[in-house]
Amino acid sequence: MEMISIKSAPEIEKMRAAGRLTAQARKLAGSLVRPGITTMEIDKAVRRFIESHGAKPSFLGLYGFPGSACISVNEVVIHGLPSSRKLQEGDIVSIDVGAYLDGFHGDCAATFPCGEVSEEARKLIDVTRQSFFEGIKNARVGCRVSDVGHGVQQYVESFGFGVVRDFVGHGVGRKLHEAPEVPNFGAAGHGPRFQPGMVIAVEPMVCAGDWHVKNLDGNWTTVSVDGSLAAHYENTILITDGEPELLTVDENGEPA
């Protein structure tokens, strides 16, 4: 079993820098979402931005992934492949990015509206984002990993939406995916206890309908099984002696 990495003060400083760059890449990607742009154009812009800061896109080539960002539209939950697909008015676009800087990764995601979107779509985006913040209320010393997912699930299901079970959050550090796994669902009181210096990515993935998913594109693209809209929100966070610290914040200290 992989050991959970506790980061030292110098390592945390490097993770703050990687997280800031990753959040800036997410912010850039979100600013490009508009009718007529292709997902490939957004992907290329993300890659240029990350590389221009002396970093590498964490996803590029990871497990064979061909892009620098996962760009997932409408019913696509995660791992959408960048392509010549043009965004249309009313789409919702989940963008997941990672940056590898000075030996450490940052990882974050958000779902952005393309022009004017439906009331259901807006609600799904807002609930998914807020579920992250509900979950990390339990990301504190003395709590257990499953307490986070329990908080996410309780909040999401109170709105009648479904939390995806097939994919989970994870530790982050020198590797993009480290221990522990951080589910977005389940009973409280299970899993490792949080300790200061743990760094995890919490990433609710939420469907407007059934939470079950299926894979397309040679097992890359994951879509809702019933074709309902899906949203994704993620930040990398540091466990401290007090409130968790968001590491994937932009130059103004803000998440998406």
Side-chain angles (χ1 to χ4, degrees):
M1 180 181 295
E2 183 183 356
M3 295 289 290
I4 295 172
S5 169
I6 303 299
K7 275 65 177 180
S8 66
E11 289 174 330
I12 289 167
E13 280 304 310
K14 290 183 177 182
M15 292 209 69
R16 287 191 179 107
R20 189 180 312 113
L21 179 60
T22 307
Q24 290 170 331
R26 171 178 60 183
K27 182 178 180 179
L28 169 67
S31 73
L32 296 174
V33 171
R34 63 180 183 273
I37 196 170
T38 69
T39 58
M40 181 63 77
E41 288 173 311
I42 295 173
D43 180 80
K44 288 180 177 178
V46 167
R47 180 174 182 175
R48 283 195 302 269
F49 178 81
I50 292 173
E51 292 180 342
S52 73
H53 288 78
K56 297 179 180 179
S58 299
F59 300 167
L60 186 60
L62 183 69
Y63 312 127
F65 189 76
S68 296
C70 299
I71 306 177
S72 306
V73 183
N74 294 336
E75 77 282 0
V76 181
V77 183
I78 52 173
H79 302 160
L81 299 172
S83 71
S84 59
R85 175 178 183 164
K86 290 185 177 181
L87 298 182
Q88 298 181 13
E89 183 88 11
D91 286 343
I92 63 171
V93 187
S94 298
I95 302 177
D96 191 355
V97 297
Y100 182 66
L101 178 67
D102 201 13
F104 290 89
H105 292 274
D107 190 7
C108 63
T111 302
F112 301 94
C114 184
E116 292 296 318
V117 301
S118 68
E119 183 177 340
E120 178 193 48
R122 171 53 68 184
K123 183 178 179 182
L124 177 67
I125 291 171
D126 291 345
V127 168
T128 302
R129 185 182 190 277
Q130 186 58 34
S131 73
F132 165 87
F133 291 98
E134 296 298 320
I136 68 167
K137 289 177 180 178
N138 303 318
R140 305 174 65 97
V141 172
C143 293
R144 292 185 180 274
V145 167
S146 75
D147 298 344
V148 171
H150 183 70
V152 169
Q153 183 179 12
Q154 293 289 102
Y155 184 78
V156 168
E157 291 184 350
S158 73
F159 290 89
F161 296 144
V163 177
V164 171
R165 311 290 204 271
D166 297 56
F167 299 90
V168 298
H170 50 89
V172 186
R174 293 186 181 277
K175 294 190 295 183
L176 182 63
H177 298 128
E178 297 184 350
E181 290 192 344
V182 185
N184 300 300
F185 58 93
H190 298 278
R193 290 192 184 276
F194 287 117
Q195 302 175 54
M198 287 175 62
V199 178
I200 59 173
V202 178
E203 51 176 320
M205 291 154 271
V206 179
C207 297
D210 192 317
W211 62 262
H212 289 86
V213 297
K214 61 183 179 181
N215 292 333
L216 310 175
D217 295 335
N219 274 347
W220 271 122
T221 302
T222 299
V223 301
S224 59
V225 74
D226 59 2
S228 62
L229 293 175
H232 184 199
Y233 187 78
E234 174 186 24
N235 283 302
T236 302
I237 66 169
L238 168 69
I239 306 301
T240 74
D241 287 317
E243 296 288 329
E245 177 187 343
L246 272 64
L247 299 182
T248 42
V249 291
D250 66 16
E251 66 278 9
N252 299 314
E254 297 293 330

